Amino acid sequence: MSRIDLFENYSGKVFKMRYFLSLLQDERKDPDIGIQNIFMAYYFGSALRLKATSEIEEETINGTLNERVGAMSDDAIGYGLNHLKVESLQQGWYMLAKRAKRNGMLRDSPFHDCIVGVFDAIETYSSYTRTCRRCLQRKVETKKGEKIQYYHRAVVLSLVGYDFPIPIGIEMMKRGEDEVSCALRLLKRMVANLGARFLDIVICDAMYCTPRFFSGCKKLGIFPGAVLKKNQENLLDSARSQKKVTKPVIKDESDTEKLKLWDMGEVFWDTANRDVRVIWADREVWEKDETSKDGDFHWVKKKRLFAFSKGMDTLPSDVVYSIGVHRWDIDAKLFMDMVKHWHLKHKTLHFENAYENMLSIRLIAYFVFMFFFFKHINSRRKEKIKSYIQMARMLYRSACINRKPQLIFLE
């Protein structure tokens, strides 16, 4: 069986792609091309690393996607995705997350079986000319004077601690709201659809270290955590005072790092009028001096601070610290990969609903493809494929040779 056939079978049997397609709702009347065909065109295009809708158009007319989804223009793709009901696509995404958990794909969490999510925002589009009703706006100084720049920013919720960060939801920021409000709206929707027991802990950057975010998570039954910086000066001062009279609970040394870890279980947060658990890590890292001509290595002092809900008191100090460190996975792995290899920031068709749906479909394709690579392909091979980028190239070459699908998704 070819690799493209394996991927199609995996999408269909493991993640019930036919049922996923039945959830999609089309707001067009009597369309010539079904919304399921348009979705699959963009889904396969994303998995095969096609950058633009014009490339997908060419593949549907003369290439790898012709017998899989039928011929369609890039205008038809944009118009169809603009009339794909956003909520129906979200419901399908949540179905995939449920399938992953039911199939045991989330069991190997390194955090004592706690499922940990990370919130972070990414700017996916900016322009001085192209705009839609959902664009955010800001004034930017240019060589020609001050201009209004239009942009989109999205908050992504991703599960961490696995072979790859697992995106399970996206929310577009609205005009006049901040990132925390957008994240809480996404979390509320996620809990309503997946249940409060699907996710145990969320860890975020310092922007989320606010009483509003911690209270919002508590109401939804999720334990919150955030990087602690100077934006919460009174909490930082309380932690600093308590650190002076306590001893580190962990001391560890390696060739590249010296670590001292304080776990302060009851630090009063005056602004929030509550106690929180603070993890304070003093580190010395053996790293290269980029400013030196010789590039000598030397010890550099660094620190990491995290504030967590007291509801996490049962977890050991090293596990809680590891949860905090995984906060950066969404930047270093998910966003970097999506921008570099999945063309997340490519300036494609700019219709208000289509744009959000395109971002979601790319993340859904990433979700399924990465499970396919790690759990199905590499888990069974003695000689591992070195990277999923290599796997993606192999998948495209296979699709070029095997143009007729073995598994028929569309009627």
Side-chain angles (χ1 to χ4, degrees):
M1 187 180 293
S2 69
R3 289 183 174 86
I4 188 65
D5 290 334
L6 284 172
F7 178 68
E8 289 172 334
N9 276 279
Y10 190 82
S11 297
K13 294 179 181 178
V14 176
F15 286 106
K16 304 296 181 184
M17 190 55 67
R18 279 203 186 93
Y19 177 66
F20 180 102
L21 293 174
S22 71
L23 297 175
L24 302 181
Q25 297 178 22
D26 192 354
E27 295 181 329
R28 298 172 298 167
K29 294 183 179 180
D30 301 321
D32 293 329
I33 302 174
I35 196 63
Q36 288 81 11
N37 296 66
I38 293 173
F39 170 87
M40 290 304 294
Y42 205 80
Y43 171 79
F44 278 127
S46 299
L48 297 176
R49 301 301 191 282
L50 302 180
K51 189 173 185 178
T53 50
S54 58
E55 293 181 71
I56 298 175
E57 173 188 358
E58 182 64 27
E59 292 290 346
T60 64
I61 296 173
N62 300 310
T64 60
L65 301 180
N66 179 260
E67 294 192 48
R68 288 181 166 85
V69 300
M72 63 187 75
S73 68
D74 62 343
D75 287 335
I77 295 172
Y79 184 76
L81 291 180
N82 197 44
H83 289 81
L84 168 60
K85 198 170 181 180
V86 173
E87 292 77 13
S88 69
L89 184 57
Q90 292 170 347
Q91 289 299 317
W93 198 347
Y94 291 134
M95 184 274 290
L96 298 181
K98 289 178 182 177
R99 292 289 307 173
K101 189 170 185 179
R102 189 176 294 120
N103 291 338
M105 297 172 173
L106 306 181
R107 286 178 186 166
D108 52 348
S109 167
F111 312 122
H112 284 212
D113 293 329
C114 290
I115 297 179
V116 176
V118 177
F119 279 118
D120 205 1
I122 182 172
E123 187 175 308
T124 57
Y125 172 87
S126 64
S127 174
Y128 293 105
T129 54
R130 297 173 65 188
T131 182
C132 69
R133 290 185 298 177
R134 297 177 67 182
C135 274
L136 307 178
Q137 298 181 17
R138 62 189 169 204
K139 293 180 179 179
V140 177
E141 286 291 338
T142 68
K143 293 180 180 180
K144 296 182 179 180
E146 190 176 79
K147 284 188 176 182
I148 294 178
Q149 188 179 63
Y150 306 99
Y151 67 101
H152 283 281
R153 191 170 176 82
V155 173
V156 178
L157 176 58
S158 175
L159 306 183
V160 294
Y162 304 96
D163 294 314
F164 65 99
I166 305 169
I168 61 169
I170 187 174
E171 189 77 19
M172 305 301 292
M173 286 180 63
K174 299 177 180 179
R175 293 182 184 179
E177 77 171 351
D178 61 6
E179 189 176 318
V180 174
S181 299
C182 184
L184 285 172
R185 188 169 70 251
L186 172 56
L187 186 61
K188 185 176 181 180
R189 178 161 54 81
M190 188 279 297
V191 169
N193 285 276
L194 296 177
R197 297 182 64 184
F198 183 88
L199 182 66
D200 300 300
I201 302 163
V202 290
I203 175 70
C204 315
D205 65 18
M207 184 185 301
Y208 293 78
C209 192
T210 64
R212 178 163 56 101
F213 182 72
F214 273 60
S215 297
C217 290
K218 184 180 179 180
K219 290 177 182 178
L220 295 170
I222 308 293
F223 296 128
V227 177
L228 176 56
K229 290 186 177 179
K230 291 182 179 179
N231 63 319
Q232 291 297 333
E233 191 66 40
N234 57 5
L235 178 56
L236 188 60
D237 288 341
S238 297
R240 189 179 290 114
S241 299
Q242 196 170 132
K243 176 176 175 280
K244 292 178 181 178
V245 296
T246 56
K247 294 181 179 180
V249 294
I250 294 176
K251 290 183 179 181
D252 189 36
E253 289 190 17
S254 67
D255 293 337
T256 57
E257 183 183 41
K258 299 175 183 177
L259 173 68
K260 290 182 180 180
L261 189 73
W262 282 261
D263 186 351
M264 294 166 276
E266 293 185 355
V267 180
F268 186 66
W269 188 0
D270 185 59
T271 307
N273 193 28
R274 70 174 71 190
D275 287 333
V276 293
R277 183 179 182 179
V278 173
I279 301 293
W280 187 309
D282 282 343
R283 306 163 60 226
E284 290 186 53
V285 182
W286 184 249
E287 64 179 30
K288 195 173 184 178
D289 186 358
E290 300 294 341
T291 61
S292 171
K293 293 182 180 180
D294 299 328
D296 295 332
F297 282 82
H298 63 295
W299 290 103
V300 179
K301 290 185 178 181
K302 297 184 178 182
K303 62 183 178 182
R304 288 173 175 157
L305 285 83
F306 305 102
F308 289 96
S309 164
K310 272 186 60 59
M312 296 169 57
D313 286 350
T314 56
L315 291 178
S317 305
D318 58 335
V319 172
V320 180
Y321 175 63
S322 177
I323 290 172
V325 173
H326 276 78
R327 172 261 170 275
W328 288 282
D329 283 4
I330 194 170
D331 289 320
K333 296 181 181 179
L334 178 62
F335 288 166
M336 185 178 293
D337 283 352
M338 290 302 299
V339 171
K340 186 176 180 180
H341 301 295
W342 293 74
H343 317 298
L344 190 70
K345 291 190 177 183
H346 175 69
K347 292 184 179 179
T348 185
L349 302 171
H350 194 192
F351 305 114
E352 50 188 290
N353 287 334
Y355 190 75
E356 179 177 354
N357 284 329
M358 286 175 175
L359 292 177
S360 295
I361 294 170
R362 284 203 183 274
L363 287 166
I364 289 169
Y366 173 90
F367 178 105
V368 177
F369 178 87
M370 296 297 271
F371 271 122
F372 169 70
F373 174 66
F374 283 105
K375 298 294 185 182
H376 186 69
I377 297 296
N378 260 8
S379 65
R380 303 182 179 194
R381 292 173 63 98
K382 291 183 179 179
E383 295 182 8
K384 308 294 184 184
I385 298 174
K386 292 181 180 180
S387 73
Y388 76 86
I389 306 301
Q390 182 184 351
M391 183 67 215
R393 295 192 186 102
M394 295 163 67
L395 193 69
Y396 181 75
R397 288 195 294 268
S398 175
C400 291
I401 298 170
N402 303 277
R403 296 193 176 190
K404 188 174 183 179
Q406 187 183 80
L407 185 65
I408 307 297
F409 288 114
L410 306 168
E411 296 179 0

